[in-house]
Amino acid sequence: MEAEKIELQGPTNKALHEAAEKILIENDLGGYSVPNRDVYPFQWNWDSAFVALGYAQFNLDRAWQELETLFKGQWDDGFLPQIIFWKDNAGYFPGPEIWQTNQQPRTSGISQPPVVATILRQLWEQNQNAEAEEKVKQLIPQVFALHRWFASFRDPLKKGLVVTTHPWETGRDNAPEWDEAAKRVDTSNVTPYVRQDTKHLDKKMRPHKEDYDRFIAMVEFGRDAGWDHKKIIEESPFRVADVGMTMMLLRANRDLLVLAEQFGFEGEAEFLKNQVSLSETGVDYLWNEEKQAFCSRDVISGESTGIISSASFLNFYADVGTAAQRAATEAHIDRIAKVSQFLMPSLAPGEKQFDAMRYWRGPIWAVVNFMIATGCAEQGLETWADKIRNDTAALIKIAGFSEAFNPESGEGTGGTDFSWTAAMWLHWAGK
Ligand code: DGY
């Protein structure tokens, strides 16, 4: 099925450009962006990285500022939190009083996909001048510290993978890949809580209560461990090698390596080279021979999830896989394009856990499409790269700058006026 068959009655590209800029400007709460003013009223890690790409199209200073503000939340050991709670806002749960990380500024205790090095390289390559050079040189050690943190605290198998201890850390919060592993999480002692997300959004878009209880139990587990990340990675009841974060970190390590070499960070470059080659072989741990796809794997049981999600297509972006593995991945794209009106659903229609409107169980995210299409274009899969970009643009024309999109109807799902969707339009889909 082709996206072109949908009747597009939306605004023109020019109007969308203006609307996208306006969203970013309105979601600026003072040097940092919120993903959405109601549902996510603080600074989120990977959202901000993508937002910088959007800002770079019309306000370069503000793009740099987004990254600089993000790193103001970095901990001394290099950890970069998922959320920085710059200002109080009772409209979000769990807030800083639940996380209790004891940091200034106040932050959550888990991280998010480390895409910032890739964005840093892009910003630099788009605008090479003395001022940008200063900014890159300042950020390289901070981003490097983050990558070293991932190697120290999220790669217990020492294979160059990312083993996550909380679904929220993956950015793909409610993906079915976490379902089995999360059953190990005891929810019997979860402190009673009141959700805020379902006050802003229709329940059908958000995780079920059972999943939410587990998310909160995992937050309480980290809090009770005093956010000691060594203890958490050794003892968490939830430890899953995430195909998404692994592929994103592999690419980010390569991008940071390019910058480190260019700017004379020799020791850092050496470390990054080792990490890249470790991951290039390590990713085989994620290959599922039966499914012929890269899938997340439960590290406690050793079992592959066997779930082909949109993250399974990031091997092109990470430039990994044998010729046969790449051909098999492409065959999956072809198969999914036949059952989904738009690409790339977070889970393909027809799969057991598919849910067209629910968080990460079907809907399409513009940032994931951007990464998949970038990888496809780099690997010579231009037809898929073009289709994924056209579909993303079509979805934005149909539904506006939604958090995500129903892959069958094109309807928006999640929050509206979403920063990273606007940023992706400006940087990529609206071109
Ligand atoms: C949520 O859904 O509240 C998570 O914090 C997203 O990162």
Side-chain angles (χ1 to χ4, degrees), residues 316-317 370-386 388 428:
F316 295 128
Y317 179 76
F370 166 64
M371 292 187 283
I372 298 173
T374 300
C376 286
E378 289 169 352
Q379 304 296 322
L381 305 174
E382 290 294 347
T383 311
W384 290 122
D386 288 347
I388 293 170
W428 172 67

Side-chain angles (χ1 to χ4, degrees), residues 39-40 44 46-47 82-83 92-94 99 110 112 166-169 171 173 197 206-207 212 215 359 403:
V39 196
Y40 301 111
W44 255 262
W46 72 323
D47 291 74
Q82 162 225 22
I83 310 174
Y92 179 81
F93 177 86
W99 291 91
I110 56 173
Q112 255 191 337
H166 197 301
W168 284 347
E169 190 166 68
D173 303 13
D197 60 325
R206 297 292 300 177
Y212 226 80
F215 296 155
Y359 225 46
E403 177 172 6

Side-chain angles (χ1 to χ4, degrees), residues 120-122 124-125 127-129 133 136-137 140 254-266 269 272:
L120 183 62
R121 181 179 173 193
Q122 256 176 295
W124 164 246
E125 290 183 350
N127 309 280
Q128 302 191 13
N129 55 43
E133 183 170 335
V136 179
K137 282 190 190 154
I140 288 175
R254 278 212 200 92
D255 290 327
L256 192 56
L257 173 59
V258 169
L259 294 174
E261 283 179 334
Q262 188 168 353
F263 292 104
F265 290 84
E266 284 165 22
L272 293 165

Side-chain angles (χ1 to χ4, degrees), residues 14 19 48 60 140 169 177 218 322 342 383 385 397 413:
K14 183 170 178 289
S48 272
L60 197 53
I140 288 175
E169 190 166 68
E177 283 143 283
M218 286 183 249
T322 60
F342 301 94
T383 311
K397 286 184 182 184
T413 178

Side-chain angles (χ1 to χ4, degrees), residues 187-199:
T187 55
S188 56
N189 292 317
V190 171
T191 315
Y193 63 92
V194 180
R195 282 175 77 159
Q196 294 296 322
D197 60 325
T198 41
K199 292 188 182 159

Side-chain angles (χ1 to χ4, degrees), residues 34-231:
V34 294
N36 161 287
R37 283 193 306 274
D38 307 317
V39 196
Y40 301 111
F42 309 107
Q43 185 171 24
W44 255 262
N45 176 333
W46 72 323
D47 291 74
S48 272
F50 287 112
V51 160
L53 284 183
Y55 263 123
Q57 299 299 313
F58 67 101
N59 184 345
L60 197 53
D61 286 345
R62 187 59 189 76
W64 287 112
Q65 189 185 30
E66 189 71 29
L67 299 186
E68 287 163 355
T69 320
L70 177 62
F71 276 92
K72 289 199 176 129
Q74 186 167 39
W75 294 11
D76 290 344
D77 64 356
F79 168 84
L80 190 66
Q82 162 225 22
I83 310 174
I84 309 176
F85 300 103
W86 289 111
K87 293 176 193 154
D88 288 332
N89 191 312
Y92 179 81
F93 177 86
E97 67 291 348
I98 305 294
W99 291 91
Q100 296 176 16
T101 55
N102 200 22
Q103 292 285 321
Q104 244 356 290
R106 296 165 306 163
T107 74
S108 67
I110 56 173
S111 194
Q112 255 191 337
V115 294
V116 69
T118 301
I119 274 87
L120 183 62
R121 181 179 173 193
Q122 256 176 295
L123 287 190
W124 164 246
E125 290 183 350
Q126 276 170 31
N127 309 280
Q128 302 191 13
N129 55 43
E131 203 189 326
E133 183 170 335
E134 272 320 295
K135 299 213 177 274
V136 179
K137 282 190 190 154
Q138 248 172 36
L139 280 161
I140 288 175
Q142 295 173 290
V143 183
F144 178 75
L146 168 66
H147 286 214
R148 207 183 32 207
W149 182 87
F150 268 100
S152 307
F153 296 104
R154 285 293 184 265
D155 187 19
L157 307 178
K158 299 294 166 217
K159 285 178 185 287
L161 306 170
V162 178
V163 174
T164 184
T165 58
H166 197 301
W168 284 347
E169 190 166 68
T170 69
R172 299 182 300 114
D173 303 13
N174 196 35
E177 283 143 283
W178 324 132
D179 290 358
E180 271 309 304
K183 286 186 184 153
R184 250 181 244 117
V185 177
D186 177 12
T187 55
S188 56
N189 292 317
V190 171
T191 315
Y193 63 92
V194 180
R195 282 175 77 159
Q196 294 296 322
D197 60 325
T198 41
K199 292 188 182 159
H200 303 297
L201 298 171
D202 192 321
K203 261 180 22 202
K204 73 173 185 220
M205 300 172 178
R206 297 292 300 177
H208 291 293
K209 179 181 181 325
E210 190 185 35
D211 297 314
Y212 226 80
D213 284 350
R214 290 177 179 144
F215 296 155
I216 302 308
M218 286 183 249
V219 169
E220 293 188 340
F221 174 85
R223 182 200 62 196
D224 295 345
W227 297 109
D228 171 346
H229 288 121
K230 184 167 181 301
K231 185 174 159 75

